[in-house]
Amino acid sequence: MTKLNSQIPDGPLSSKWSKHKADIRIVSPANKHKLEIIVIGTGLGGASAAASLGALGYNVKVFCISDSPRRAHSIAAQGGINAAKNYSNDNDSVYRLFYDTIKGGDYRSREANVYRLAEVSNNIIDQCVAQGVPFARDYDGLLDNRSFGGSQVSRTFYARGQTGQQLLIGAYSAMNHEIAKGSVKVYSRHEMLDLVLINGEAKGIVTRNLVTGELERFGAHAVVVASGGYGNTYFLSTNAMNSNGSAIWQCYKKGAYFANPCFAQIHPTCIPVHGDQQSKLTLMSESLRNDGRIWVPKKKEDVEKLRKGTITGSQIPEKDRDYYLERRYPAFGNLVPRDVASRAAKERCDAGFGVNDQGRAVFLDFTTAFETKGRKVIDELYGNLFQMYEEITGVDPYKEPMMIYPAIHYTMGGLWVDYNLQTTIPGLYAIGEANFSDHGGNRLGASALMQGLADGYFILPYTIGDYLSHKIQEPKSDINDPAFAEAENKIKERINHLFNIKGTQSADSIHKKLGHIMWEYVGMARNEAGLKKAIEEIKSLKETFEKDLYVPGENNEFNQELEKAMRVSDFLEIGELMALDALNRKESCGGHFREEMQTEEGETKRDDEHFMYVSAWEYKGENKMPELNKEPLIFENIKISTRNYKD
Ligand SMILES: Cc1cc2nc3c(=O)[nH]c(=O)nc-3n(C[C@H](O)[C@H](O)[C@H](O)COP(=O)(O)OP(=O)(O)OC[C@H]3O[C@@H](n4cnc5c(N)ncnc54)[C@H](O)[C@@H]3O)c2cc1C
C-alpha cells in the first residue's frame, strides 16, 4: 500500500497556513510569464483560479464545455456562501465554522484543510464585494446573513436565490480583465479528453472541439482540474445536464488517486420525481429551511386523502401535523444537516406518510413564516424560488405547502489532493468539487461555493507557485512529444469504436439504467448484498454499452450524442468504483448510510477504529481491481464524538 503524504504543515492549527505560505517557494514576477498553466473548467473554482493566476502574471489557458464560461454549472447555486465574519453578532468565529464543518462531515475530513477553509472564508466575501457582487444587505448597511443546515449561527451570505450566478459574474469579470490583458485565453466548447504525462508529470491535455470534432493538443507546465462533481452518475440529479466525471476519470486512469468516491450528497429539498420521462431534478434551496417547516400528516387517513386528491396540505389542521425534524432534533430543528434531513424524510415516507401519489414527498410549509414575518419579507428572501416552484409544479406555494423529496446533489469524493491541492501526479492540481478535500462524509450547505472560491482565489495561486518555482528553466511542453500522439490516437480509436458499435440503445437510455442501479443500491441506504448486486449489474450494463450502443451522426460535427456516449462510458466506471468504495466502507458516516451500521434510532453509526481514513483508489488497468490506499485521519484539535443535533 502506498503511503500518501498529505503535506500538512507542522505547528498549531491556527498558524499552519501562515507558516506554510512563508515556507513555500514563490516565482518572481519576471518569471511568471514564462510559465503556462492549463485550467479545466470555468465554474467558480476554475474561473477564480484562472483570474487569480492570470493576475499574477502566469500564462493561462482555460477550457470549458459550454459556449460561454458563464454557463458553468456553478451558475445554478441558489442559497448562499458561508463565511465566519460574525456580522450577525451571534458568536460565530473561524473555529466555529471549522468545528461545524468537521462535525457536519461526520469526522471524515482533514482538520488542517478545513481550518484553512474557515480562515480564508472571510477574504472571499471581501474579494467578491470588491468585484461588485450584490450580496443582500440589512438595514444597518452590513451584508445580511441567513442560516444553513448544521450550524446554530447565521453565516450565509446570499444574493436572493441567485448567489452562484452573482458570484460567477464576479469571477468572470475578473477573468475578462485578464483576457483583455492577454494573460488568460479561453477555449469554450473544448472538452478535455485526456491528460498527457511526460516523465510522470502533468504536461498537457488533448481536447475535442465540440463544434468541429477536431482533436487539439495543448501543453503547459501544470494542469489544474476544476471540472466539477460526478453526481450525474445517478442520471437524475440537481446537477446541470453537462456536469460529468470524465475529466477527473481521465486523470484517475493516468495515475491520480480517486478519494472517497462513495461519498455522495443527497439533498433533502428537491422537487420530487414525477413520471419516468425526466432527465433532470430541480433543487429548492436549503435557504428555504430558514423559514419553511417540514412536516407530514400524523394520520394515515389524511395521507390517503392527500394521495387521492380529495384534500390538500393546507386543509390539514395544525394538531394533525408531524413536524418530524423539530420533534426529533429540537436543537437544530429544520436546519439539521442534509444527510440527516434526507434520511428522516425517507424514514417517514417508508413508514407510509409520504404525501404525493407515489408516497415519496414531504411538505415544506411557509404558513408560520407568512404569519410571523409577512408575505413581503418572505417574498424578498425567496421570491424567485417560489416562482420557480410554481412554474414547475403548477402549485402556488403561497397557498399550498411545497412538496419536496431528497435527490442527488453533490459529490464530496473526488481526486485525492494534498494540502497544496496537488494530486498524486506532480503538476496536476484539483480544485472545487473535482477534489475531495474538505467535506468528509457530508457537505454542509453553502460550503461548496466557499471551497471553490477559497481554492481558486486564495489557496492554489500560492501553492502552485511552489511547484512552478522549479520549472522556470523548463521549456514549454512540446506537443509533438510521443505522449501527446499516443493520447490522441487512443481517443481517435475510442471514438471510432463508439460509432462502429451500431447497436440499438442510446447513451441516454443506458445512463438511465445506470441511474436506477445507483439510486437503488448506492443511494440513500446501502447494504452489502445491494452493493454487490450493483457491481454485477453495472458490469453487465458496461457490456451492453460496448455491444449495443448507437451513436448517430458523425465525429466532425456538433454531436451531443457522441459527447454523451463518452461521458456515460465514464459514468459506468465511476459508478462501479463508487459501489466498490461503499462496499469497503463498512460503517455509516454522513451521507454514506450502511444499513448494517445504524443506531437503535436509525442514525449513522461510525466505526472510527477501522474506518477513520480517506480511501484513495489507485487505477491498476482495464478490468483490474483498483488498489485501496488509506490516508489516516488524525484529530488533534477536535474531540471526535457521535454527531448530535438534538441538544
Ligand atoms: C442547483 C444547485 C444549487 C446549489 N446551491 C449551492 C449554494 O447555494 N451554495 C453552495 O455552496 N453550493 C451550492 N451548490 C453546489 C455548487 O454549486 C457546486 O458545488 C459548485 O458550483 C461547483 O463549482 P466548480 O467550479 O467546482 O464546478 P462547476 O461549476 O461544475 O464547473 C465545472 C466546469 O468544468 C467544465 N468542464 C467539465 N468537464 C470538462 C472537460 N472534460 N473539459 C473541459 N471543461 C470541462 C464545465 O464546462 C464547467 O465550466 C449547488 C448545486 C446545485 C446543483
mmCIF file of all heavy atoms in Angstrom, residues 34-52:
data_model
loop_
_atom_site.group_PDB
_atom_site.id
_atom_site.type_symbol
_atom_site.label_atom_id
_atom_site.label_comp_id
_atom_site.label_asym_id
_atom_site.label_seq_id
_atom_site.Cartn_x
_atom_site.Cartn_y
_atom_site.Cartn_z
ATOM 1 N N LYS A 34 6.727 33.255 -18.165
ATOM 2 C CA LYS A 34 7.352 32.140 -18.904
ATOM 3 C C LYS A 34 6.614 30.820 -18.645
ATOM 4 O O LYS A 34 6.892 29.809 -19.284
ATOM 5 C CB LYS A 34 8.805 31.942 -18.439
ATOM 6 C CG LYS A 34 9.714 33.123 -18.695
ATOM 7 C CD LYS A 34 11.105 32.792 -18.143
ATOM 8 C CE LYS A 34 11.953 34.031 -18.019
ATOM 9 N NZ LYS A 34 13.050 33.848 -17.051
ATOM 10 N N LEU A 35 5.747 30.842 -17.675
ATOM 11 C CA LEU A 35 5.121 29.586 -17.236
ATOM 12 C C LEU A 35 3.670 29.494 -17.693
ATOM 13 O O LEU A 35 2.908 30.455 -17.560
ATOM 14 C CB LEU A 35 5.196 29.489 -15.708
ATOM 15 C CG LEU A 35 6.633 29.406 -15.174
ATOM 16 C CD1 LEU A 35 6.686 29.729 -13.689
ATOM 17 C CD2 LEU A 35 7.217 28.017 -15.437
ATOM 18 N N GLU A 36 3.317 28.321 -18.200
ATOM 19 C CA GLU A 36 1.959 28.143 -18.723
ATOM 20 C C GLU A 36 1.150 27.206 -17.829
ATOM 21 O O GLU A 36 1.662 26.167 -17.388
ATOM 22 C CB GLU A 36 2.032 27.543 -20.123
ATOM 23 C CG GLU A 36 2.670 28.505 -21.112
ATOM 24 C CD GLU A 36 2.382 28.113 -22.539
ATOM 25 O OE1 GLU A 36 2.521 26.923 -22.855
ATOM 26 O OE2 GLU A 36 2.018 28.988 -23.323
ATOM 27 N N ILE A 37 -0.080 27.583 -17.626
ATOM 28 C CA ILE A 37 -0.963 26.749 -16.790
ATOM 29 C C ILE A 37 -2.264 26.507 -17.555
ATOM 30 O O ILE A 37 -2.849 27.442 -18.110
ATOM 31 C CB ILE A 37 -1.295 27.454 -15.450
ATOM 32 C CG1 ILE A 37 -0.008 27.809 -14.693
ATOM 33 C CG2 ILE A 37 -2.209 26.586 -14.588
ATOM 34 C CD1 ILE A 37 -0.234 28.644 -13.436
ATOM 35 N N ILE A 38 -2.691 25.245 -17.552
ATOM 36 C CA ILE A 38 -3.991 24.902 -18.140
ATOM 37 C C ILE A 38 -4.999 24.764 -17.006
ATOM 38 O O ILE A 38 -4.711 24.106 -15.996
ATOM 39 C CB ILE A 38 -3.877 23.563 -18.911
ATOM 40 C CG1 ILE A 38 -3.189 23.811 -20.256
ATOM 41 C CG2 ILE A 38 -5.240 22.924 -19.115
ATOM 42 C CD1 ILE A 38 -2.880 22.533 -21.026
ATOM 43 N N VAL A 39 -6.164 25.378 -17.168
ATOM 44 C CA VAL A 39 -7.239 25.221 -16.180
ATOM 45 C C VAL A 39 -8.428 24.601 -16.899
ATOM 46 O O VAL A 39 -8.888 25.128 -17.915
ATOM 47 C CB VAL A 39 -7.640 26.578 -15.559
ATOM 48 C CG1 VAL A 39 -8.798 26.396 -14.577
ATOM 49 C CG2 VAL A 39 -6.457 27.239 -14.856
ATOM 50 N N ILE A 40 -8.922 23.490 -16.362
ATOM 51 C CA ILE A 40 -10.095 22.834 -16.954
ATOM 52 C C ILE A 40 -11.315 23.250 -16.142
ATOM 53 O O ILE A 40 -11.461 22.850 -14.987
ATOM 54 C CB ILE A 40 -9.995 21.290 -16.901
ATOM 55 C CG1 ILE A 40 -8.673 20.803 -17.472
ATOM 56 C CG2 ILE A 40 -11.179 20.642 -17.630
ATOM 57 C CD1 ILE A 40 -8.451 21.154 -18.901
ATOM 58 N N GLY A 41 -12.176 24.061 -16.743
ATOM 59 C CA GLY A 41 -13.408 24.446 -16.070
ATOM 60 C C GLY A 41 -13.475 25.927 -15.783
ATOM 61 O O GLY A 41 -12.463 26.562 -15.443
ATOM 62 N N THR A 42 -14.684 26.466 -15.945
ATOM 63 C CA THR A 42 -14.886 27.896 -15.695
ATOM 64 C C THR A 42 -16.003 28.123 -14.687
ATOM 65 O O THR A 42 -16.661 29.154 -14.689
ATOM 66 C CB THR A 42 -15.256 28.614 -17.006
ATOM 67 O OG1 THR A 42 -16.424 27.954 -17.537
ATOM 68 C CG2 THR A 42 -14.119 28.574 -18.003
ATOM 69 N N GLY A 43 -16.256 27.120 -13.832
ATOM 70 C CA GLY A 43 -17.184 27.325 -12.732
ATOM 71 C C GLY A 43 -16.484 28.208 -11.700
ATOM 72 O O GLY A 43 -15.436 28.810 -11.983
ATOM 73 N N LEU A 44 -17.037 28.244 -10.496
ATOM 74 C CA LEU A 44 -16.428 29.148 -9.509
ATOM 75 C C LEU A 44 -14.993 28.754 -9.201
ATOM 76 O O LEU A 44 -14.134 29.625 -9.006
ATOM 77 C CB LEU A 44 -17.275 29.193 -8.243
ATOM 78 C CG LEU A 44 -18.536 30.029 -8.461
ATOM 79 C CD1 LEU A 44 -19.492 29.894 -7.289
ATOM 80 C CD2 LEU A 44 -18.197 31.496 -8.685
ATOM 81 N N GLY A 45 -14.696 27.450 -9.177
ATOM 82 C CA GLY A 45 -13.316 27.018 -8.935
ATOM 83 C C GLY A 45 -12.411 27.467 -10.067
ATOM 84 O O GLY A 45 -11.425 28.194 -9.863
ATOM 85 N N GLY A 46 -12.732 27.081 -11.288
ATOM 86 C CA GLY A 46 -11.866 27.354 -12.436
ATOM 87 C C GLY A 46 -11.761 28.832 -12.764
ATOM 88 O O GLY A 46 -10.656 29.342 -13.021
ATOM 89 N N ALA A 47 -12.899 29.534 -12.752
ATOM 90 C CA ALA A 47 -12.866 30.957 -13.126
ATOM 91 C C ALA A 47 -12.059 31.754 -12.107
ATOM 92 O O ALA A 47 -11.270 32.638 -12.475
ATOM 93 C CB ALA A 47 -14.281 31.507 -13.233
ATOM 94 N N SER A 48 -12.235 31.453 -10.812
ATOM 95 C CA SER A 48 -11.494 32.221 -9.807
ATOM 96 C C SER A 48 -10.000 31.907 -9.904
ATOM 97 O O SER A 48 -9.150 32.803 -9.765
ATOM 98 C CB SER A 48 -12.028 31.947 -8.388
ATOM 99 O OG SER A 48 -11.924 30.573 -8.079
ATOM 100 N N ALA A 49 -9.670 30.644 -10.198
ATOM 101 C CA ALA A 49 -8.254 30.283 -10.332
ATOM 102 C C ALA A 49 -7.651 30.949 -11.561
ATOM 103 O O ALA A 49 -6.571 31.550 -11.493
ATOM 104 C CB ALA A 49 -8.110 28.762 -10.431
ATOM 105 N N ALA A 50 -8.354 30.872 -12.692
ATOM 106 C CA ALA A 50 -7.816 31.449 -13.933
ATOM 107 C C ALA A 50 -7.601 32.950 -13.762
ATOM 108 O O ALA A 50 -6.553 33.492 -14.151
ATOM 109 C CB ALA A 50 -8.770 31.167 -15.092
ATOM 110 N N ALA A 51 -8.592 33.620 -13.152
ATOM 111 C CA ALA A 51 -8.467 35.070 -12.967
ATOM 112 C C ALA A 51 -7.272 35.388 -12.053
ATOM 113 O O ALA A 51 -6.471 36.285 -12.343
ATOM 114 C CB ALA A 51 -9.753 35.624 -12.359
ATOM 115 N N SER A 52 -7.137 34.631 -10.965
ATOM 116 C CA SER A 52 -6.066 34.933 -9.997
ATOM 117 C C SER A 52 -4.697 34.612 -10.585
ATOM 118 O O SER A 52 -3.740 35.374 -10.397
ATOM 119 C CB SER A 52 -6.242 34.127 -8.711
ATOM 120 O OG SER A 52 -7.541 34.279 -8.234
#
